[in-house]
Amino acid sequence: MRHTLAVLVENKYGVLSRVSGMFSRRGYNIDSLTVGVTDDPTISRMTIVVMGDDEVLEQVTKQLNKLIDVIRVTDLKSEESVERELALIKVNSDVTNRSEIMQIADIFRARIIDVASKSMIIEVTGDDGKITAIEQLLKPFGIKEMVRTGKVALRRGQKSS
Amino acid sequence: MTESTEKMTGARALIECLYREGVDTIFGYPGGVLLPIYDELYDADIRHILVRHEQAAAHAAEGYARATGKTGVCIATSGPGATNLVTGIANAYMDSIPMVVFTGQVPSSLLGNDAFQEANITGITMPITKHNYLVQDANELPKVIKEAFHIASTGRQGPVLIDLPKDITVQEIDFYYPDKVDLRGYKPTYQGNLQQVKRAASAIKESKNPVIYAGGGVISSNASKELLDLAEKIKAPVTTTLTGMGGFPVEHELFLGMPGMHGAKYANYAIQESDLLIAVGARFDDRVTGKLKAFASNAKIIHIDIDPAEISKNVKVDIPIVGDAKWILQKLLKYTESAQSEKWLDRIAHWKKVHPLHYVEPATGDGIKPQYIIEQITEACKDAIIVTEVGQHQMWAAQYFRFSEPRTFITSGGLGTMGYGFPASIGAKIARPDKVVFDIAGDGSFQMNSQELATAVQENVPVIVAVFNNGYLGMVRQWQELFHNRRYSATCIQNSVDFVKLAEAYGALGLRATKRSEVRPVIEEAIASGRPTVIDFVVEEEENVSPMVPAGAAINEILDLERKE
Ligand SMILES: Cc1ncc(C[n+]2csc(CCOP(=O)(O)OP(=O)(O)O)c2C)c(N)n1
Ligand SMILES: [Mg+2]
């Protein structure tokens, strides 16, 4: 099972290595980890996607809470939250297939952000399924390079407690 | 209350903070980047104990902490000084002992440059400290120190490290010591959930065969009185782990001895047959549980612990209660009813009679059995503080000493650090000069930190090192005997050194016993001498620790190993 955790931490030197060190020391696998500052500049928010059953999730949560610099850990259940990831995909293209690729981008509400003579870069935002789907469709043209940000997520409705 | 501020250097501020934390003793070793701090220590009202290896400073600080419950403090220089502390920090972390560790660091401007004697000690100790700090501005130093002592001594206790770049120690600041800490990410739970306490009380009421399994948490939360009261009220037998030893009086009829690999058979049998296991400040370590699937498999489990992450980490718990053991036991006492479990206690009495802890005296001659020495030390000085090294002698100390109070057994439990005992005993004796302090040592372990004889003599710390000289790294030899066909690969250390002369070379008292009849007299002589003493007890070479649960077996599959003479 994949779980998405929102982890509020002190925005301080060394916090990222405390968190990632805890994961590796205890043998938990991080699928993705993103971090950025919040509306309060003293607090950063990490979104961590971790694989494991409920017992693993419970231990991960408790071990995170044990870190002094961790302020709060929230399990973002997918039905109660919105999740997004951004990907940049550089795909082979020339005059013969450019419009075909643009059509695909259109369907996914992706944007073309760079066009060169032999390639173009597409920016797409969505959940995991959407990004995987466009990736599959672009593969036949030849993907030269691709980067994904990792997932970020927010709980729907009021400020997550 | 905010005090009026005063201008001073970081080094001076450090001393002021230590005063405010009530620190009277620190253990350490100087070096270049620590010069400003040592200059302040020169006329500070704090006793500085100069060890001969930084590892000993950490262990001594831990011994001090365990003997008193106060936070131990040690200090070492950057680079090698700091890395020499690592074993001691890991040891304190594994046994949850409150400690604040200061390390010198190269000046901030050189950080990350591979400067002379630079080591990234905050990185190195991240997984073995409860928290650590690299101080980046001297103005933060008082706040950092305040937080460090708070974190080390509250919740599940543990070591906290503060790394001090040299420029921080000479920087001038307006000193002000905060009287509160406010850490939004750290709010340990002390008061347990009352609903859970009531559930536990009714489980106790329903239980016919309860067992209390108490660990080091009982010692750290000073809960041994409550433990005794509860056990007597509900008539439950009590087993204490290696680090919980002293938490329950050994001579009490409800005492079951130690559980697990080298525990008492009757403790293991009782756990396996129990219908309710009440774990208090214990963490279901593999040395206790043996084969996890078969551990207490018929029992409901109540787990009282201050660390939520320990709940259901190893064993699925039915009734968790997170909080301070003392507080929770007090409440539990209130909600439980007195009980009689005569049938159960009769069964336990039967096991105790049929399967006592025992050893075989040598049939001929006047050889010394190691267990006999422990018995004689108990008789000579029942309220001594017993510190140990790691190995067979450690297990014999836990099995045969008749502890009657908490904080009288100091041993390296979680990490199993050879070389721990002697420096820890120095720390304990400094903390409790009124107590006789023994380091129960192996000939191998003692040689890992025997240089501290210089410290004990220079600082006049009269601890007694009882070397159980069996000529072997005995515990490893025992496993080789049992599981590797007696192929004693790299475990024979016979004739390493003349321990009597070694003691004398440092100006300590050296004594030796080679016969059973000499055991008691040398113990008495050592106690009477009032000097740092090493006793070389020449013991039976191939005695085994018995009983024993083989690795991977269930704890009731426990075997007798004693050598028949
Ligand atoms: C620092 C360290 N190194 C190695 C070990 C592994 N070890 C555990 S017990 C032991 C032998 C201890 O020998 P000794 O101190 O003579 O005690 P004995 O078992 O003979 O009583 C060893 C090598 C350890 N626990 N600690
Ligand atoms: Mg030995």
Side-chain angles (χ1 to χ4, degrees), chain B residues 218-234:
Chain B
V218 169
I219 312 280
S220 20
S221 97
N222 298 312
S224 34
K225 162 100 180 29
E226 289 75 9
L227 178 67
L228 179 64
D229 291 347
L230 181 73
E232 287 182 339
K233 185 167 182 192
I234 66 172

Side-chain angles (χ1 to χ4, degrees), chain B residues 131-434:
Chain B
H131 195 54
N132 63 23
Y133 295 89
L134 171 64
V135 181
Q136 286 164 313
D137 176 353
N139 287 297
E140 284 174 9
L141 184 60
K143 176 169 169 278
V144 164
I145 294 176
K146 178 85 192 173
E147 287 180 7
F149 275 89
H150 176 73
I151 292 168
S153 62
T154 55
R156 179 176 183 171
Q157 301 175 330
V160 178
L161 180 139
I162 302 174
D163 200 19
L164 299 163
K166 186 172 185 180
D167 51 312
I168 298 294
T169 65
V170 294
Q171 185 189 334
E172 282 254 319
I173 63 163
D174 289 321
F175 180 79
Y176 146 69
Y177 203 58
D179 50 23
K180 276 206 303 272
V181 290
D182 179 27
L183 290 159
R184 52 191 167 182
Y186 179 69
K187 304 259 187 296
T189 307
Y190 280 87
Q191 309 196 344
N193 179 314
L194 271 186
Q195 227 35 53
Q196 292 294 87
V197 172
K198 287 178 191 163
R199 279 183 65 205
S202 61
I204 289 171
K205 190 175 168 194
E206 281 160 27
S207 156
K208 292 198 166 59
N209 308 341
V211 169
I212 298 175
Y213 149 51
V218 169
I219 312 280
S220 20
S221 97
N222 298 312
S224 34
K225 162 100 180 29
E226 289 75 9
L227 178 67
L228 179 64
D229 291 347
L230 181 73
E232 287 182 339
K233 185 167 182 192
I234 66 172
K235 292 283 182 304
V238 177
T239 174
T240 55
T241 66
L242 188 66
T243 47
M245 203 56 73
F248 195 83
V250 168
E251 283 174 353
H252 197 285
E253 57 171 359
L254 288 170
F255 189 61
L256 280 175
M258 186 167 71
M261 179 173 276
H262 291 300
K265 284 185 168 181
Y266 42 87
N268 289 359
Y269 294 159
I271 289 173
Q272 295 300 72
E273 297 285 311
S274 67
D275 64 356
L276 179 69
L277 189 66
I278 308 168
V280 190
R283 60 184 177 90
F284 299 86
D285 179 82
D286 54 276
R287 284 292 190 264
V288 166
T289 61
K291 184 174 167 188
L292 213 52
K293 275 216 177 75
F295 179 75
S297 48
N298 302 319
K300 219 181 209 172
I301 298 180
I302 298 173
H303 191 183
I304 299 170
D305 206 289
I306 194 139
D307 181 1
E310 285 303 335
I311 305 291
S312 295
K313 186 179 85 177
N314 299 333
V315 169
K316 193 97 194 99
V317 170
D318 301 285
I319 308 177
I321 317 177
V322 173
D324 177 41
K326 191 185 185 82
W327 191 94
I328 293 168
L329 289 177
Q330 279 167 354
K331 292 291 172 239
L332 206 46
L333 263 167
K334 210 170 110 191
Y335 290 108
T336 45
E337 293 165 26
S338 304
Q340 291 292 338
S341 33
E342 249 154 60
K343 249 193 174 158
W344 176 229
L345 294 182
D346 285 349
R347 265 181 94 190
I348 285 166
H350 173 75
W351 284 325
K352 280 188 177 173
K353 210 159 106 200
V354 183
H355 308 286
L357 272 178
H358 68 293
Y359 62 95
V360 181
E361 280 296 350
T364 54
D366 204 9
I368 304 177
K369 284 281 181 163
Q371 301 90 334
Y372 176 74
I373 303 170
I374 306 285
E375 290 176 341
Q376 289 303 305
I377 292 174
T378 299
E379 277 185 31
C381 196
K382 195 160 168 254
D383 61 355
I385 292 181
I386 301 297
V387 187
T388 81
E389 305 287 348
V390 168
Q392 294 181 308
H393 59 279
Q394 175 190 31
M395 293 299 115
W396 288 316
Q399 290 176 331
Y400 288 93
F401 196 87
R402 312 195 72 73
F403 299 96
S404 50
E405 343 163 16
R407 304 199 179 279
T408 57
F409 188 52
I410 297 176
T411 196
S412 169
L415 199 65
T417 310
M418 291 173 68
Y420 169 80
F422 183 37
S425 72
I426 292 174
K429 179 73 186 174
I430 286 168
R432 295 295 308 270
D434 55 314

